[in-house]
Amino acid sequence: MITAVEAAPARLGPVKLVAVDGPSGGGKSTFARALVRALGVERTALVPTDDFATWDEPVSWWPRLVEGVLDPFRRGEPAVYRRTEWSDGLPRMGAEVRIDTPEILVVEGVSSGRRSIRSSLSVLVWVCSGDRELRLKRAVARDGETCREQLLRWQEFEQGWFAVDSTAGSADIVV
């Protein structure tokens, strides 16, 4: 995996963009954090899509990521955006995040490898461990029992999203 990222060309201006995508509860966050450590935290930035998404906006928040992170990095400038913070399963606008332009940007989360960004991706990783029930169990353990109904709706949404966007079939690496 590290070799694939190292060998890939920068396609987001001077930045190598790696998307770690897949269904909720599949292990994307864990994998992305390990990838950042392996690549070197001093040259790699991690931006989770959870910093943008809400229950009501599972993927339509994308322009905020483009304007706050991707476009500035494409120009070699720092990223600045307001993070969505999750408390008790409820999303709220949170702190401002500033990130200097990295050599490698890892964007992790559902829809991070969407069709509209693929020409700028250096590597698209698809992560999916476990069947739907196991992934739901993991997500509930992570987010709390109060989120179970929202997570069930989320699973329905993401299943349709991935089918239309052909994300898994476009992956460079499947984990």
Side-chain angles (χ1 to χ4, degrees):
M1 175 69 206
I2 304 308
T3 305
V5 174
E6 296 285 350
R11 292 192 173 133
L12 184 71
V15 177
K16 293 182 183 187
L17 176 57
V18 178
V20 177
D21 207 333
S24 61
K28 297 178 303 300
S29 299
T30 301
F31 178 84
R33 287 190 300 270
L35 177 61
V36 168
R37 284 191 303 275
L39 290 168
V41 295
E42 66 284 342
R43 67 184 188 134
T44 308
L46 174 62
V47 174
T49 62
D50 283 351
D51 279 5
F52 298 89
T54 67
W55 294 123
D56 296 328
E57 291 185 308
V59 294
S60 62
W61 47 263
W62 187 257
R64 286 183 51 226
L65 176 71
V66 170
E67 293 164 11
V69 178
L70 301 179
D71 284 349
F73 283 168
R74 188 182 312 276
R75 297 187 301 265
E77 299 170 359
V80 180
Y81 67 93
R82 294 251 339 249
R83 175 177 61 219
T84 300
E85 294 180 358
W86 293 82
S87 163
D88 301 323
L90 300 173
R92 294 177 180 84
M93 288 309 292
E96 185 175 271
V97 176
R98 179 183 167 85
I99 307 169
D100 289 331
T101 305
E103 179 184 336
I104 303 164
L105 171 63
V106 176
V107 177
E108 170 274 317
V110 172
S111 83
S112 62
R114 62 179 63 202
R115 182 175 292 132
S116 66
I117 195 64
R118 289 197 192 129
S119 65
S120 296
L121 288 176
S122 298
V123 177
L124 172 55
V125 180
W126 177 260
V127 178
C128 182
S129 62
D131 64 16
R132 188 173 177 163
E133 282 302 313
L134 176 58
R135 289 186 290 102
L136 177 62
K137 183 178 177 180
R138 287 180 189 151
V140 169
R142 176 194 66 212
D143 298 340
E145 187 61 42
T146 58
C147 294
R148 180 178 293 276
E149 289 305 313
Q150 293 280 20
L151 288 164
L152 284 166
R153 283 192 288 281
W154 183 270
Q155 281 188 331
E156 289 298 319
F157 169 81
E158 69 187 9
Q159 183 177 354
W161 168 265
F162 291 134
V164 169
D165 198 64
S166 304
T167 314
S170 299
D172 300 302
I173 298 168
V174 177
V175 177

